[in-house]
Amino acid sequence: MSVSIIFSKLFETFGINCTIFFVTLLFALPLGLIISFGSMSKIKWLQKIVRVFVWIIRGTPLMLQIIVIFYGPGLIWGGNAMPRLSAAIVAFIINYACYFSEIYRGGIQSIPKGQQEAGQVLGMTKAQIFFRVTLLQVIKRIVPPMGNEFMTLIKDTALANVIANKEIIMMSKEFATKGLIWPLFSTALFFLIFCGILSILFRYLEKKLDYFR
Amino acid sequence: MAILEVQNINKSFGNTRVLEDISFSLEEGNALAIIGSSGSGKTTLLRCLNFLETPDKGKIIVKNNVLFDADSASSTSENEIRRKRLHFGMVFQNFNLFPQYTALGNVMLACELLAKERSDYKTNRKKIHNEIEEKAKLLLDQMGLSDRMYNYPHQLSGGQQQRVAIARALAMEPDILCFDEPTSALDPELTGEVLKVIRSLAEKHTTMVIVTHEMSFARDVADQIIFMDGGYIVEQGNAFDVINNPKEERTKQFLARYSEK
Ligand SMILES: Nc1ncnc2c1ncn2[C@@H]1O[C@H](COP(=O)(O)OP(=O)(O)OP(=O)(O)O)[C@@H](O)[C@H]1O
Ligand SMILES: [Mg+2]
């Protein structure tokens, strides 16, 4: 098999990793915000439930969560399992939403109370204070930890092969069983380039927000 | 007729009684200084006036309008409280400027948001914006900050930040402007510039309530002084008399501690 064919196969299967990455972000970023509001809720029982849920999700391996979501419903209710890719993506969304929620919570709680009060005494509404005063300050604070999460996420996508999603690592292992070892090592290149682009993007974002403290 | 009338305000946090039966009134154009040791309830009183805390008992009356009455459960919708807050301005000890806006942006933000509620906003958007900007620039100019309008808060000294905060509060044209220890977070060499600005406001007969630890400033600038201790008003009266001839023993002790320093 020629090198170019092998690379195009690897490239194709890296599409699965990218799909998981982008779909997860699309849903986990807003879901995380909702979860963070839950974990800061003044309604004590809601806050408890949300915090226990976040603790369970963050405290157990993502690989296990993927397996449970794929096999669990079938074992309990019988019937057909979810498509493999969907099951993996659902697990990623739940898992990452919980991590994001903690980042949001840290960001929101780190804004001094005085900012909100200054807005209040100037006659601003709660919504105006959130969108015009607090939000950008929160974004500035969460950009660095979010950068870390994004990088971890793209590397974590390889875990989806635990339920036989044919992503890039699984593909390269197939080559290895046929006696071709180098494709397995070359997968590193894909992740490196992806993470390189991510870190450039995040550094740009940090720079953009550098004009205030 | 007094512009501000505070009647029998009481406030507790849990079992701690912080304000006990606070009553005073303030004439339009006068400045009232509130002095007292740490924990005597001065900040809490200002926060009650600005609806950041809700008193357990008492009344707050501005220009003969009852803004707050603990006995008559008036509506507490966000909108109504917002409108009531606009009677008061507040300058905080640690400025609380919005870091992502320039000095000018800080002064304009709330004015612009409020202007959006005007019925003629859509048709006169440009004109309204320009008016607000003109007013904000004028205020910053009066604060001696005409060359600092486009700086962000972190580029300004503490004294400059506090003057921006004063301009921001004035921009809303409050009936009564409250200051909570406006110079306590500042280095001694920067307090002067802020006190000077407040002094000039007093000369222009801005109605003010000033919590301060600067006794000579209080005596010179305020028309009236309240001395608080343990949540009570111990003594109140003409500024000169309270500082130079205090009647109550506790006031004497408090002032003696200050003149030692
Ligand atoms: N949110 C709160 N919850 C509980 N207790 C509070 C709260 N805010 C203030 N207190 C208490 O109320 C009392 C008065 O506080 P306040 O801040 O009004 O005093 P102060 O006169 O402004 O003091 P300082 O000169 O130190 O600023 C203090 O004993 C304080 O511990
Ligand atoms: Mg105080």
Side-chain angles (χ1 to χ4, degrees):
Chain A
M1 225 184 295
S2 76
V3 171
S4 68
I5 289 181
I6 290 173
F7 259 101
S8 75
K9 279 268 180 210
L10 289 178
F11 191 76
E12 216 172 274
T13 47
F14 192 59
I16 300 283
N17 301 76
C18 293
T19 306
I20 297 172
F21 179 86
F22 287 111
V23 179
T24 298
L25 288 184
L26 186 66
F27 288 95
L29 285 172
L31 182 61
L33 194 59
I34 295 169
I35 295 175
S36 80
F37 287 145
S39 70
M40 291 184 290
S41 170
K42 288 199 185 90
I43 309 163
K44 275 276 139 32
W45 61 264
L46 178 67
Q47 189 202 64
K48 279 250 164 61
I49 291 175
V50 173
R51 290 200 179 179
V52 166
F53 179 75
V54 171
W55 170 64
I56 291 172
I57 297 297
R58 297 206 310 156
T60 56
L62 175 53
M63 189 189 274
L64 184 62
Q65 291 161 16
I66 297 170
I67 293 169
V68 166
I69 285 176
F70 184 58
Y71 295 106
L75 289 173
I76 298 168
W77 297 295
N80 290 337
M82 240 189 287
R84 291 167 193 284
L85 186 58
S86 314
I89 287 175
V90 169
F92 272 92
I93 290 171
I94 294 171
N95 184 278
Y96 270 82
C98 286
Y99 276 98
F100 291 160
S101 79
E102 288 295 281
I103 292 177
Y104 290 138
R105 184 161 73 95
I108 291 170
Q109 289 180 341
S110 74
I111 307 299
K113 195 103 211 291
Q115 288 291 307
Q116 195 191 330
E117 289 178 351
Q120 284 176 317
V121 298
L122 290 166
M124 291 163 69
T125 65
K126 281 207 177 99
Q128 286 169 343
I129 293 169
F130 182 75
F131 287 107
R132 299 307 200 95
V133 175
T134 322
L135 185 62
L136 196 63
Q137 296 182 54
V138 172
I139 290 174
K140 184 182 168 73
R141 279 167 215 224
I142 67 174
V143 162
M146 275 296 176
N148 285 334
E149 288 299 319
F150 280 34
M151 286 201 197
T152 311
L153 173 58
I154 188 63
K155 289 174 288 177
D156 273 355
T157 55
L159 288 171
N161 74 30
V162 72
I163 52 172
N165 278 299
K166 199 166 182 180
E167 49 71 58
I168 189 167
I169 303 275
M170 185 145 165
M171 183 74 231
S172 65
K173 273 193 193 154
E174 250 172 52
F175 289 123
T177 54
K178 291 175 196 156
L180 266 180
I181 295 293
W182 68 264
L184 188 52
F185 295 112
S186 64
T187 57
L189 219 58
F190 288 85
F191 290 100
L192 277 174
I193 291 169
F194 198 97
C195 286
I197 294 169
L198 277 181
S199 58
I200 289 167
L201 280 177
F202 272 90
R203 214 168 307 149
Y204 172 77
L205 210 58
E206 273 179 55
K207 257 245 173 77
K208 271 264 154 192
L209 293 171
D210 211 26
Y211 69 93
F212 71 91
R213 300 252 160 86
Chain B
M1 186 60 213
I3 191 170
L4 170 65
E5 189 96 40
V6 172
Q7 293 175 0
N8 313 96
I9 292 283
N10 279 256
K11 175 72 187 172
S12 303
F13 291 109
N15 290 327
T16 339
R17 309 198 60 174
V18 177
L19 293 178
E20 308 248 12
D21 213 27
I22 301 291
S23 298
F24 63 88
S25 65
L26 182 61
E27 297 295 322
E28 182 157 11
N30 279 9
L32 163 69
I34 302 177
I35 58 174
S37 50
S38 190
S40 54
K42 307 180 297 293
T43 296
T44 309
L45 176 57
L46 286 193
R47 291 174 61 84
C48 286
L49 295 181
N50 283 278
F51 294 86
L52 292 173
E53 307 284 356
T54 313
D56 304 324
K57 263 202 247 164
K59 275 188 201 174
I60 297 170
I61 303 160
V62 173
K63 289 183 167 171
N64 291 330
N65 289 324
V66 179
L67 292 193
F68 177 83
D69 183 355
D71 292 332
S72 77
S74 68
S75 133
T76 50
S77 78
E78 194 197 10
N79 252 328
E80 226 163 284
I81 291 180
R82 273 180 54 220
R83 290 276 160 194
K84 290 175 178 176
R85 274 192 179 120
L86 290 174
H87 289 285
F88 293 91
M90 177 82 158
V91 175
F92 298 89
Q93 188 172 345
N94 45 4
F95 333 134
N96 291 334
L97 292 183
F98 306 132
Q100 71 268 47
Y101 294 97
T102 59
L104 186 62
N106 265 278
V107 179
M108 290 173 63
L109 179 65
C111 296
E112 297 220 74
L113 293 173
L114 194 66
K116 283 188 182 166
E117 289 168 31
R118 283 165 56 167
S119 52
D120 62 339
Y121 181 73
K122 282 224 169 71
T123 43
N124 293 335
R125 177 180 297 201
K126 249 255 144 64
K127 188 166 150 271
I128 291 173
H129 172 85
N130 289 340
E131 280 169 8
I132 290 172
E133 186 167 335
E134 280 314 304
K135 187 173 75 175
K137 283 180 169 169
L138 192 68
L139 280 168
L140 285 167
D141 195 33
Q142 285 167 8
M143 298 294 127
L145 292 167
S146 39
D147 54 342
R148 291 295 189 170
M149 296 191 189
Y150 299 102
N151 284 111
Y152 289 92
H154 76 271
Q155 300 166 322
L156 300 173
S157 74
Q160 290 168 336
Q161 289 188 49
Q162 191 61 298
R163 286 183 281 150
V164 175
I166 294 170
R168 179 175 72 173
L170 284 170
M172 304 308 288
E173 295 171 7
D175 295 321
I176 299 140
L177 184 53
C178 303
F179 296 81
D180 189 10
E181 300 191 30
T183 60
S184 291
L186 299 176
D187 292 335
E189 63 263 34
L190 298 179
T191 48
E193 62 187 55
V194 172
L195 295 184
K196 203 175 113 198
V197 159
I198 301 175
R199 214 179 282 261
S200 75
L201 291 177
E203 278 158 16
K204 279 181 245 162
H205 299 290
T206 313
T207 315
M208 297 186 282
V209 178
I210 310 164
V211 171
T212 183
H213 287 298
E214 307 276 341
M215 293 307 142
S216 52
F217 171 76
R219 183 195 53 208
D220 298 345
V221 170
D223 301 285
Q224 204 182 327
I225 285 193
I226 286 177
F227 169 63
M228 285 180 69
D229 193 30
Y232 289 93
I233 292 182
V234 176
E235 185 163 351
Q236 61 175 312
N238 175 294
F240 192 82
D241 293 345
V242 174
I243 300 275
N244 289 356
N245 297 309
K247 292 193 182 60
E248 301 291 325
E249 202 49 46
R250 271 191 287 175
T251 321
K252 285 178 192 163
Q253 284 167 7
F254 174 79
L255 290 169
R257 259 187 293 141
Y258 264 91
S259 53
E260 276 162 30
K261 275 182 201 164

